[in-house]
Amino acid sequence: MSFKLLARRFYSSKIVKLTSESYPNIKRDSKYGKITPQTIEFFQNLLGSSSTITDNDLLSSYNEDQMRKYKGQSQLCLKPKTTEQVSQILKYCNEFKLAVVPQGGNTGLVGGSIPVFDEIIISLSNLNKIRSFDQVSGILKVDAGVVLETADSYLAEQGYIFPLDLGAKGSCHIGGNVATNAGGLRLLRYGSLHGSVLGLEVVLPDGTILNSMNSLRKDNTGYDLKQLFIGSEGTIGIITGVSILCPSRPKAVNIAFLGLDSYEAVQKTFQRAKNELCEILSAFEFMDKESQLQTLKFLKTSHPLAEDGEEFPDYNFYVLIETSGSNKEHDDFKLETFLESVMEDELVLNGVVSQDESQLKTLWNWREGISEASTFDGGVYKYDVSLPLPVMYDLVNETRTRLQDADLISIDDSTKPVVDVVGYGHIGDGNLHLNVCVREYNKNVEKVLEPFIYKWIQNKNGSISAEHGLGFQKKNYIGYSKSEIEIKMIKDLKNHYDPNGILNPYKYV
Amino acid sequence: MSFKLLARRFYSSKIVKLTSESYPNIKRDSKYGKITPQTIEFFQNLLGSSSTITDNDLLSSYNEDQMRKYKGQSQLCLKPKTTEQVSQILKYCNEFKLAVVPQGGNTGLVGGSIPVFDEIIISLSNLNKIRSFDQVSGILKVDAGVVLETADSYLAEQGYIFPLDLGAKGSCHIGGNVATNAGGLRLLRYGSLHGSVLGLEVVLPDGTILNSMNSLRKDNTGYDLKQLFIGSEGTIGIITGVSILCPSRPKAVNIAFLGLDSYEAVQKTFQRAKNELCEILSAFEFMDKESQLQTLKFLKTSHPLAEDGEEFPDYNFYVLIETSGSNKEHDDFKLETFLESVMEDELVLNGVVSQDESQLKTLWNWREGISEASTFDGGVYKYDVSLPLPVMYDLVNETRTRLQDADLISIDDSTKPVVDVVGYGHIGDGNLHLNVCVREYNKNVEKVLEPFIYKWIQNKNGSISAEHGLGFQKKNYIGYSKSEIEIKMIKDLKNHYDPNGILNPYKYV
């Protein structure tokens, strides 16, 4: 499966406030040094002038996130070309207690790669070589700054596939994917990065280079140190190289887009799909009616399940099923047999199956377009949560009820701040995306949503961040997903590996 | 796939020397306390007398490993029934600096679960309940002491499969599997435990209980602490509970057993199988001629590829391919098409495909029997290594040549200590098992083998322990697979989490 979003994600075009102004309670830590002309001279000598960015106009794109929600005040962005340069940078910064923030493709959704104050930005974008690929084992070795799509296109030529796919693939870096333990669309089939990453090259805060890039698929000699850096969001080391096991590229891909009546039917259909499609099931995504109505406004084209003459069909839930296999005929048969059986049992009420690559992309757009569509009316509050499947959708209903009770929500009445609440996500991974689509960001809405949503998730033993990470946005909410013992151990590791706290401060934990 | 070995693994029946006698250079560390009548009284009060074993006859099976290679002198074995009891035990031992060794099913191959001196044995065998299973998500939660086969049989009834399978499944504990990061026969299909384990319950040396058992499939809030304990061999915590994601059980399983002429053909056939069998390939095991000849002596039945009238066929290499899928007809077609094409290209010279469950078991026995067969003549030196595929088999040839040059090897001449050198393993994982079959354990042989084999592996960037772990046997050899920086970080973590060093001393690192 290879598709791209129709347009780049866009958000409100308002001027972005400085993070320090939006969050006046957070103060710059005076323990950190400040950059001086000598600092800049040192880095210019080390990296060259073109890789030592001090120009304010050039700096702005590194200081702001893609959502235009966070804005830092960094005066210096460094773009090292080698691991050794990253090591020299950190050694220097550690010595002078200069805080840094590592930045990949800057596609994160929790403000993790944006400076909060004047942290030095270390952009990995110049570390962008594919190092090697082994045709027999499927082991790919890349620099951290290689763009995900670049790697996947390269692998396609070799008959392989990158075991991770996500909407931001055209911009995000593989190093950033690993640092944030990205999940995405292929997790159901190929598992998490904790299983597929075989080795990492990481620069520690003191400049030490930790290298396990030569690891083979199996190696049981000592603690698996690299695992600590997968999902560590640049707080204990900067990933500069990744070795990852890639599966064979499937020869046949099918998409079915289905209409269902209830969340109960969605769950039952998922279980049937797992058991009946088994080894060829590669995605099972669900969407509620509200998410599709919102997407309709954005895509401005009739829905794939709409009958002749109508713009939108009448189902409460939608499901996208993807199969990937090695024999088109077999997969078609399996998918048709499955669809016949779930329709006969009235779990699925209607559906279409893609007949070609172009239809396949169109169908995926109705799932992938939701993210952009959610900001269509002005903005969006995004929650990315893991919950036990049986209760997962209850959170969407209860959130809507609370907003109704507070008289803050209306699709038609433009004086209400909230337009709608939409739910969708990777049901195969127990991962719900809950988007509260708003006409404007609003403190009253925020008070209704938080900490209510976090408490609700905690109560159900869920996770407040299934795949987006903690970053700046969720730093203070980790207690809703982790115990005191766990948080203590996490802080403890942070202090152990980064005693000066120079790596990505004000975030994570 | 569900099969059992014909007989339990057996090794030389000689009386086992105490580890302290076999390795006189290793001394008991005087910093550890000794058990007193008060210690025993404390534990009797905590656990009851039947779970506080002090009787020498009863202790012997806990003091000796299955290979009969290591023998400890523990005077106390504790069998807690709850996690809370494990916590109380460690709290007490930490306070009085009493060294302990955690023990699961005692099926390890590197002496990791056997005391070296008088360490207190903590057996997890009474912590053996299946806690829960979720039919929709496939998440299984078990006590650490649940036997692997028990869990897999339970899952079979629910239409699921445990994502790990190994020869010792009838005895090994799931907690032990996780503590040693067991690989086994299903890794090619279901990936490593670092990907499939979702949560752990672990008791730390000071008695703290770290619990992530409620984790869902996705959770990006903080460092993934549980990963540190996967493969830590009981040196920084004792695993008491495991939550693991289980896949749907395949409805169709096929086995093909093939004869090939060269290791080059084995590699090419593997690559073809990956690309052509793709999603249904679940095992690709290779065996050399010598391994099959050794197994012939043990199984005493004609080889599956032998023609009428002959006992043994004439191929240099053998391959076992397993496919697992949801549709027997589709899988048969894929496997037949694949086999026709590799035979047409003369990569594969001959082959049989299992027609029923009993044939399937018979074919697996010729692969799984090698381990026992290797000890048939008296004993075996076992090496479990990861190597890049192109050079993997060279190690077998070079080891044989060295033994020939030293005049130490002969199949027929019973005055020579070594019978034969055999190579086999999970080629899909780059994992070679190199067995040196001997008539007796012999210092001259050892000198020829070590450190030669470890140096050879280091030179090829391989791992000296692909799946067996370090334990007691390979503690001193970690430097052949890990850099000084990595070893320092590993030691550092050990000291950080277990400052008194009470957990599994004299081992690992």
Side-chain angles (χ1 to χ4, degrees):
Chain A
M1 197 266 311
S2 164
F3 87 102
K4 279 174 86 167
L5 279 181
L6 295 175
R8 253 184 86 87
R9 204 177 286 240
F10 82 98
Y11 293 87
S12 161
S13 59
K14 69 183 160 59
I15 290 179
V16 189
K17 267 169 85 174
L18 288 176
T19 305
S20 60
E21 289 170 4
S22 306
Y23 301 87
N25 292 334
I26 298 169
K27 304 291 182 203
R28 184 184 185 282
D29 194 326
S30 60
K31 76 177 174 185
Y32 297 119
K34 294 196 174 188
I35 57 169
T36 62
Q38 288 74 40
T39 317
I40 291 169
E41 201 190 323
F42 173 84
F43 288 123
Q44 279 171 339
N45 287 336
L46 178 68
L47 308 171
S49 293
S50 65
S51 297
T52 309
I53 298 170
T54 53
D55 177 89
N56 262 327
D57 286 347
L58 291 176
L59 279 170
S60 68
S61 70
Y62 299 97
N63 264 320
E64 279 180 33
D65 76 320
Q66 204 194 81
M67 291 185 301
R68 302 178 61 77
K69 206 170 166 187
Y70 302 104
K71 189 173 179 175
Q73 306 159 55
S74 181
Q75 298 300 305
L76 181 60
C77 172
L78 305 174
K79 301 181 75 173
K81 289 190 182 71
T82 65
T83 302
E84 186 51 37
Q85 287 181 346
V86 177
S87 165
Q88 292 297 324
I89 292 170
L90 286 188
K91 210 169 165 181
Y92 183 93
C93 291
N94 198 42
E95 192 182 336
F96 294 99
K97 294 200 174 47
L98 294 163
V100 305
V101 49
Q103 190 173 92
N106 199 359
T107 61
L109 296 168
V110 290
S113 64
I114 299 296
V116 178
F117 299 101
D118 60 347
E119 300 92 279
I120 297 172
I121 298 161
I122 302 178
S123 163
L124 279 302
S125 53
N126 279 343
L127 249 173
N128 55 11
K129 302 276 179 302
I130 290 175
R131 297 189 188 178
S132 67
F133 179 66
D134 184 300
Q135 262 289 347
V136 180
S137 64
I139 298 176
L140 174 74
K141 296 182 185 178
V142 294
D143 284 349
V146 169
V147 169
L148 178 56
E149 194 169 44
T150 307
D152 194 54
S153 304
Y154 170 84
L155 287 168
E157 289 166 22
Q158 327 276 325
Y160 282 82
I161 190 169
F162 202 90
L164 171 76
D165 185 27
L166 37 87
K169 70 191 287 186
S171 312
C172 65
H173 292 183
I174 292 174
N177 296 148
V178 174
T180 56
N181 189 28
L185 304 163
R186 290 178 188 157
L187 189 119
L188 179 70
R189 176 66 167 272
Y190 302 121
S192 97
L193 292 173
H194 286 288
S196 51
V197 170
L198 298 183
L200 291 178
E201 183 185 71
V202 184
V203 182
L204 303 181
D206 66 0
T208 300
I209 300 169
L210 180 68
N211 186 342
S212 57
M213 291 290 285
N214 285 326
S215 291
L216 300 169
R217 181 153 188 188
K218 284 165 140 181
D219 174 27
N220 273 348
T221 57
Y223 310 129
D224 196 351
L225 298 170
K226 69 170 182 289
Q227 300 288 353
L228 280 177
F229 300 92
I230 301 175
S232 68
E233 302 184 28
T235 58
I236 47 174
I238 298 184
I239 295 170
T240 53
V242 175
S243 166
I244 189 163
L245 187 68
C246 300
S248 295
R249 203 167 192 93
K251 294 173 191 74
V253 174
N254 286 325
I255 303 282
F257 203 102
L258 313 174
L260 301 89
D261 194 40
S262 66
Y263 180 66
E264 184 71 25
V266 172
Q267 288 179 80
K268 282 187 180 154
T269 305
F270 170 57
Q271 211 180 336
R272 292 275 290 267
K274 270 215 309 186
N275 291 332
E276 295 170 34
L277 296 173
C278 213
E279 72 276 12
I280 62 165
L281 183 65
S282 56
F284 192 107
E285 302 281 312
F286 94 106
M287 298 145 270
D288 65 8
K289 183 186 194 165
E290 291 74 13
S291 75
Q292 294 298 282
L293 279 166
Q294 189 72 19
T295 308
L296 183 70
K297 290 197 278 188
F298 173 67
L299 291 180
K300 297 187 179 68
T301 165
S302 68
H303 192 273
L305 293 192
E307 300 290 334
D308 282 346
E310 61 176 21
E311 197 179 36
F312 198 79
D314 189 29
Y315 305 106
N316 290 320
F317 288 91
Y318 298 85
V319 158
L320 182 152
I321 290 177
E322 185 190 76
T323 67
S324 307
S326 57
N327 183 311
K328 172 85 176 133
E329 215 173 292
H330 290 173
D331 292 5
D332 286 353
F333 177 84
K334 281 180 183 126
L335 184 58
E336 278 161 29
T337 309
F338 164 75
L339 291 175
E340 272 168 26
S341 99
V342 286
M343 290 186 83
E344 205 166 284
D345 294 348
E346 293 179 0
L347 287 174
V348 169
L349 305 178
N350 194 2
V352 291
V353 175
S354 63
Q355 298 295 322
D356 56 41
E357 182 79 2
S358 134
Q359 289 180 0
L360 187 146
K361 285 181 186 176
T362 305
L363 294 179
W364 262 113
N365 278 338
W366 282 88
R367 160 63 186 84
E368 276 293 293
I370 303 171
S371 185
E372 289 169 83
S374 297
T375 65
F376 186 81
D377 298 279
V380 62
Y381 292 101
K382 288 173 85 80
Y383 299 92
D384 154 48
V385 311
S386 273
L387 282 166
L389 283 190
V391 303
M392 192 162 97
Y393 196 72
D394 294 347
L395 178 60
V396 182
N397 288 328
E398 295 194 21
T399 302
R400 185 181 294 111
T401 303
R402 271 179 74 87
L403 288 163
Q404 282 165 347
D405 292 349
D407 198 21
L408 291 168
I409 181 169
S410 169
I411 290 182
D412 309 312
D413 181 352
S414 63
T415 65
K416 305 292 179 203
V418 180
V419 183
D420 210 349
V421 178
V422 315
Y424 63 103
H426 321 291
I427 206 163
D429 317 326
N431 183 182
L432 171 73
H433 293 300
L434 167 67
N435 285 2
V436 179
C437 312
V438 294
R439 297 188 171 87
E440 54 177 23
Y441 292 110
N442 179 300
K443 288 283 171 200
N444 290 329
V445 173
E446 282 167 34
K447 275 183 210 152
V448 171
L449 298 177
E450 297 178 24
F452 162 74
I453 288 174
Y454 295 129
K455 279 189 176 163
W456 200 93
I457 295 163
Q458 179 181 40
N459 203 29
K460 301 287 190 289
N461 289 316
S463 169
I464 62 155
S465 188
E467 52 180 13
H468 294 173
L470 293 166
F472 180 80
Q473 187 193 333
K474 296 183 182 170
K475 171 186 158 68
N476 293 326
Y477 302 114
I478 184 173
Y480 289 105
S481 282
K482 288 282 192 288
S483 68
E484 275 178 40
I485 289 170
E486 289 170 299
I487 295 170
K488 187 181 163 298
M489 285 182 73
I490 290 168
K491 287 189 171 172
D492 199 38
L493 279 174
K494 165 71 180 170
N495 294 335
H496 186 75
Y497 286 114
D498 183 19
N500 290 331
I502 62 161
L503 268 180
N504 222 359
Y506 318 110
K507 293 170 191 155
Y508 201 68
V509 72
Chain B
M1 198 267 310
S2 163
F3 86 103
K4 281 174 86 166
L5 279 181
L6 295 175
R8 254 184 86 85
R9 203 175 286 239
F10 81 97
Y11 293 86
S12 161
S13 59
K14 69 184 160 60
I15 289 178
V16 188
K17 263 168 89 173
L18 289 176
T19 305
S20 60
E21 289 171 6
S22 306
Y23 300 87
N25 291 335
I26 298 168
K27 304 291 180 201
R28 184 183 184 282
D29 193 327
S30 60
K31 75 177 175 185
Y32 296 119
K34 295 197 172 188
I35 58 170
T36 61
Q38 287 74 39
T39 317
I40 291 169
E41 200 188 324
F42 173 84
F43 288 123
Q44 279 171 340
N45 286 335
L46 177 69
L47 308 171
S49 294
S50 65
S51 297
T52 309
I53 297 169
T54 53
D55 177 89
N56 262 329
D57 284 347
L58 290 177
L59 279 170
S60 68
S61 69
Y62 298 97
N63 263 320
E64 278 179 35
D65 76 320
Q66 205 195 79
M67 289 185 301
R68 302 178 62 77
K69 205 168 167 188
Y70 301 104
K71 189 173 180 176
Q73 306 161 54
S74 181
Q75 298 300 305
L76 181 60
C77 171
L78 305 175
K79 301 180 76 173
K81 290 190 181 69
T82 65
T83 302
E84 186 52 36
Q85 286 181 346
V86 177
S87 165
Q88 293 297 324
I89 292 169
L90 285 189
K91 211 168 164 181
Y92 184 92
C93 290
N94 199 40
E95 192 182 337
F96 295 98
K97 294 199 173 48
L98 293 163
V100 305
V101 50
Q103 189 173 92
N106 200 359
T107 60
L109 296 168
V110 289
S113 65
I114 299 296
V116 178
F117 298 101
D118 60 346
E119 301 93 277
I120 296 172
I121 298 161
I122 303 179
S123 164
L124 279 303
S125 53
N126 278 343
L127 249 173
N128 55 11
K129 303 274 180 303
I130 290 175
R131 296 188 188 178
S132 68
F133 180 66
D134 184 297
Q135 261 290 346
V136 180
S137 64
I139 298 176
L140 174 75
K141 297 180 184 179
V142 294
D143 285 349
V146 169
V147 169
L148 177 56
E149 192 168 45
T150 306
D152 194 55
S153 303
Y154 170 85
L155 288 166
E157 288 166 22
Q158 327 275 325
Y160 282 82
I161 190 168
F162 201 91
L164 171 77
D165 185 27
L166 37 87
K169 71 192 286 186
S171 312
C172 64
H173 292 183
I174 291 174
N177 295 149
V178 175
T180 56
N181 188 30
L185 304 163
R186 288 177 188 158
L187 188 119
L188 179 69
R189 176 66 167 272
Y190 301 122
S192 97
L193 292 172
H194 286 288
S196 52
V197 170
L198 298 181
L200 290 179
E201 185 184 70
V202 183
V203 182
L204 303 181
D206 65 359
T208 301
I209 299 169
L210 179 68
N211 186 342
S212 57
M213 291 291 284
N214 284 327
S215 290
L216 300 168
R217 180 151 187 191
K218 281 165 142 181
D219 175 26
N220 273 348
T221 58
Y223 310 128
D224 197 350
L225 298 171
K226 69 170 183 288
Q227 300 288 353
L228 280 178
F229 300 93
I230 301 175
S232 68
E233 302 184 29
T235 57
I236 49 175
I238 297 185
I239 295 170
T240 53
V242 175
S243 167
I244 188 163
L245 187 69
C246 300
S248 295
R249 202 168 192 92
K251 295 173 189 75
V253 175
N254 285 326
I255 303 283
F257 203 102
L258 314 174
L260 301 90
D261 193 40
S262 66
Y263 179 65
E264 185 70 25
V266 171
Q267 288 179 80
K268 283 187 180 156
T269 305
F270 168 57
Q271 212 182 338
R272 292 274 290 268
K274 269 215 310 186
N275 291 332
E276 294 170 33
L277 296 173
C278 214
E279 72 275 10
I280 62 165
L281 183 64
S282 56
F284 192 106
E285 302 279 313
F286 95 105
M287 298 145 270
D288 65 7
K289 184 185 192 166
E290 291 73 14
S291 74
Q292 294 297 284
L293 279 166
Q294 188 72 17
T295 308
L296 182 70
K297 290 197 278 190
F298 173 66
L299 291 180
K300 296 186 181 68
T301 162
S302 68
H303 192 273
L305 293 193
E307 301 290 334
D308 282 346
E310 62 177 22
E311 199 178 34
F312 197 77
D314 189 28
Y315 306 106
N316 290 320
F317 288 92
Y318 298 85
V319 159
L320 182 153
I321 290 178
E322 185 190 76
T323 68
S324 306
S326 57
N327 182 309
K328 171 85 176 135
E329 217 172 290
H330 290 174
D331 293 4
D332 286 353
F333 176 83
K334 282 181 183 124
L335 184 58
E336 278 161 29
T337 309
F338 164 75
L339 291 176
E340 273 168 26
S341 98
V342 286
M343 290 186 84
E344 204 166 285
D345 295 347
E346 292 180 0
L347 288 173
V348 170
L349 305 177
N350 194 3
V352 292
V353 174
S354 64
Q355 298 296 323
D356 56 42
E357 182 79 3
S358 134
Q359 289 180 0
L360 188 145
K361 285 181 187 176
T362 304
L363 294 180
W364 262 114
N365 279 337
W366 281 87
R367 160 63 185 85
E368 275 295 294
I370 303 172
S371 185
E372 288 168 85
S374 296
T375 64
F376 187 81
D377 297 279
V380 62
Y381 291 102
K382 287 173 85 81
Y383 299 92
D384 155 49
V385 311
S386 274
L387 282 166
L389 284 191
V391 302
M392 192 162 98
Y393 196 71
D394 294 346
L395 178 60
V396 181
N397 287 329
E398 296 196 20
T399 302
R400 185 180 296 112
T401 303
R402 271 180 72 88
L403 288 162
Q404 281 165 348
D405 290 350
D407 198 22
L408 291 167
I409 182 170
S410 170
I411 291 183
D412 310 311
D413 181 354
S414 63
T415 65
K416 305 290 178 202
V418 180
V419 183
D420 211 349
V421 178
V422 315
Y424 62 104
H426 320 292
I427 207 164
D429 316 327
N431 184 182
L432 170 73
H433 293 301
L434 166 67
N435 285 1
V436 178
C437 313
V438 294
R439 297 188 171 88
E440 55 176 22
Y441 292 109
N442 178 301
K443 288 284 171 200
N444 289 330
V445 173
E446 282 166 36
K447 276 182 211 155
V448 170
L449 298 176
E450 296 178 24
F452 162 74
I453 288 175
Y454 295 129
K455 280 188 176 166
W456 199 93
I457 295 164
Q458 179 182 39
N459 203 29
K460 303 285 190 287
N461 289 316
S463 169
I464 61 155
S465 187
E467 53 181 11
H468 294 172
L470 293 167
F472 180 80
Q473 187 193 333
K474 295 183 184 170
K475 172 187 158 66
N476 293 327
Y477 302 113
I478 183 172
Y480 289 105
S481 283
K482 289 281 194 285
S483 67
E484 274 178 39
I485 290 170
E486 290 171 299
I487 295 170
K488 186 182 164 296
M489 285 183 72
I490 290 168
K491 287 189 172 170
D492 198 38
L493 279 173
K494 165 69 180 173
N495 293 335
H496 186 76
Y497 286 115
D498 183 19
N500 290 331
I502 62 162
L503 269 179
N504 222 0
Y506 319 109
K507 292 169 192 158
Y508 200 67
V509 71

